Amino acid sequence: MSWSATVFTLYPDMFPGPLGTSLSGDALARNIWSLEARNIREHGLGRHRTVDDSPAGGGPGMVIRADVLAAALDAGLGADDLRPRLLMSPRGKPLTQARVRELAAGPGVAIVCGRFEGVDERVIEGRALEEVSIGDYILSGGEMAALVVLDACVRLLPGVMGKEASGTDESFENNLLEYPHYTRPREWEGRAIPDILLSGDHAKIARWRHEESLRITRARRPDLLP
Ligand code: SAH
C-alpha cells in the first residue's frame, strides 16, 4: 500500500498543483504516493452549500462550521483510518524535519486546510485534529501550507529521491545548517572554489564541511545548537 494523503479543502483545484511536477509528480505517477482532495463544500448546508458563519462573540471574518467540517471528515475518513489528522494553523506546533520524518514513515496523512478566520474550535477537539504551523506568518488559507507538508514528506518516501544518500546530510538533519556547495567552473567572476574541495582528501573535506556547518549555524541559527 502506498503512502496516501487526503486533503480537506474548499479549493480542491489547488491539488496536486505544484506537486504534480518534478520529483513528487513522478512519484505520484508511479503510485509511490496517492493524493485525494475532498471538497468541504460538498457537505455545505442548503442551496448555497454554506460552510461558514460569523464568529460567536462578534468580530471580523467568518469561521468554518464544526458540523460541516465534521461531516466532510467523517465521509472522507474511515473509522479504521490510522493516519494522523493535521489541521494547518498558524497556532499549531511549528513543523520540523523530525515531524516530517515521522509522517513520511507512517501510512500517510489527512490534512484539513482552513480558510477565513479558521475553523470552529469544537471540531478541532471533537475530531482530534493536530494543529500544525509552517511558520510565523499568516497565509490566506491552509492549502499552500498543506502543499509544503506534503512536499517535505513525499521527497523522503523510498524511491522518490535519486540517491539514498541525498537527504541525510541536509540542513536540520543533525541540528546543523548545511555547508556551502560549489560546482564548475573552478573560477567564476574572480571567485575560486576553496582549494580543499579540489584536494581529493576526503577526510579533510568532511572535516571542513562540518566546520563550515558549525560556523554557519552559529552565525544564523544558534537556536539549533544544543
Ligand atoms: N485568524 C487566524 C488566521 C487565519 S488564516 C489566526 O489569526 O490565527 C486562514 C487559514 O490559513 C488558517 O485557518 C490556516 O488553515 C491557514 N494558515 C495561515 N497561516 C498558516 C501558517 N503559518 N501555517 C499553517 N497554516 C496557516
Side-chain angles (χ1 to χ4, degrees):
M1 247 205 7
S2 72
W3 197 86
S4 75
T6 301
V7 177
F8 297 86
T9 171
L10 289 169
Y11 298 96
D13 291 354
M14 289 177 75
F15 298 87
L19 298 179
T21 64
S22 191
L23 280 183
S24 52
D26 291 342
L28 196 53
R30 288 187 287 138
N31 296 315
I32 290 177
W33 69 297
S34 64
L35 174 62
E36 180 192 20
R38 298 184 66 100
N39 195 342
I40 297 167
R41 195 168 298 282
E42 280 178 18
H43 299 271
L45 306 173
R47 198 158 56 84
H48 298 292
R49 299 248 160 252
T50 301
V51 298
D52 59 343
D53 209 328
S54 45
M62 300 293 272
V63 175
I64 297 180
R65 291 174 59 120
D67 51 357
V68 171
L69 181 52
L73 290 169
D74 295 347
L77 304 174
D80 55 349
D81 198 314
L82 296 173
R83 294 174 298 172
R85 292 189 290 267
L86 313 186
L87 168 65
M88 302 321 302
S89 161
R91 295 192 321 192
K93 205 166 172 191
L95 186 68
T96 61
Q97 188 64 15
R99 183 71 180 121
V100 167
R101 282 209 174 272
E102 284 175 6
L103 292 173
V109 72
I111 305 184
V112 179
C113 302
R115 277 273 158 181
F116 323 121
E117 293 308 316
V119 308
D120 187 306
E121 189 73 16
R122 294 169 294 179
V123 72
I124 304 176
E125 298 164 7
R127 292 299 178 273
L129 303 180
E130 172 190 344
E131 292 181 73
V132 173
S133 166
I134 65 159
D136 291 342
Y137 39 79
I138 305 294
L139 304 169
S140 48
E143 287 76 13
M144 295 214 203
L147 291 169
V148 166
V149 172
L150 293 174
D151 180 78
C153 289
V154 165
R155 63 189 286 284
L156 296 180
L157 300 177
V160 174
M161 264 190 295
K163 274 211 215 94
E164 208 52 67
S166 196
T168 58
D169 231 24
E170 284 174 319
S171 291
F172 307 120
E173 288 299 347
N174 316 295
N175 287 319
L176 289 175
L177 300 178
E178 206 177 41
Y179 50 79
H181 295 295
Y182 299 88
T183 186
R184 279 182 277 270
R186 198 167 173 146
E187 192 174 309
W188 174 76
E189 294 192 350
R191 296 163 195 270
I193 294 176
D195 286 335
I196 199 158
L197 296 178
L198 306 170
S199 68
D201 186 333
H202 296 297
K204 260 191 176 169
I205 291 171
R207 214 173 314 122
W208 181 86
R209 284 180 167 165
H210 184 66
E211 277 158 18
E212 284 294 293
S213 277
L214 274 172
R215 180 183 65 77
I216 290 169
T217 309
R218 272 193 214 105
R220 300 184 189 178
R221 294 290 306 279
D223 58 295
L224 293 176
L225 295 168

